[in-house]
Amino acid sequence: MNEPISLTRYSKMLENGEISSREISESLLSRIDSQDGGINAFITVNREGLLEAAAESDRRRAAGRARSPFDGVPVAVKDNIMTRGVRTTCASGILKDFVPPFDATSFRKLSEKGFLLLGKTNLDE
């Protein structure tokens, strides 16, 4: 997968069994590894958490228990959105080690639908 694919296309590919959530996740992580060094789009990449969540999503789909058509689709959120257990800095040196104990409502709603956290994107402090 060299070109970016829409969330809807990923959803259809997952539904049709053309690809697994793990494969999508690994492809996106590889793209970040190869291109983000010069772009600096991500403050935090949720590598281990994403791969674990992708495996769980693949198991849900195999059992016919997908949370939504988007279950297993990775998304990135701005680094000012609270994500339980994942560093959230708001691009601030003061918050460089802050790990929130809760999810923001917006991210919780994504998670409930099965979207997976790819990482936290950069922003102005």
Side-chain angles (χ1 to χ4, degrees):
M1 279 187 246
N2 293 331
E3 294 299 315
I5 297 177
S6 72
L7 297 176
T8 303
R9 179 69 183 128
Y10 277 138
S11 172
K12 293 206 181 305
M13 292 171 74
L14 285 165
E15 182 180 341
N16 295 334
E18 298 172 45
I19 196 166
S20 69
S21 180
R22 173 106 187 179
E23 290 170 316
I24 295 170
S25 299
E26 288 173 345
S27 175
L28 293 172
L29 290 170
S30 176
R31 190 175 179 94
I32 290 168
D33 290 344
S34 69
Q35 296 184 8
D36 195 48
I39 299 170
N40 198 28
F42 283 85
I43 291 177
T44 300
V45 177
N46 185 35
R47 186 173 307 276
E48 293 79 21
L50 174 64
L51 294 175
E52 288 175 21
E56 290 174 22
S57 174
D58 288 337
R59 285 192 291 275
R60 281 193 301 273
R61 280 193 178 272
R65 294 189 330 256
R67 293 179 178 168
S68 80
F70 295 100
D71 194 345
V73 176
V75 294
V77 298
K78 283 290 188 191
D79 196 38
N80 61 350
I81 304 293
M82 298 298 147
T83 49
R84 182 174 37 93
V86 179
R87 185 172 70 129
T88 302
T89 71
C90 299
S92 170
I94 293 172
L95 295 173
K96 68 181 168 111
D97 296 320
F98 177 64
V99 178
F102 61 91
D103 287 328
T105 300
S106 58
F107 183 70
R108 181 181 46 80
K109 289 182 176 193
L110 289 171
S111 296
E112 289 171 354
K113 297 295 182 186
F115 284 98
L116 312 179
L117 181 62
L118 173 60
K120 308 297 288 290
T121 59
N122 211 342
L123 66 154
D124 291 336
E125 181 177 2

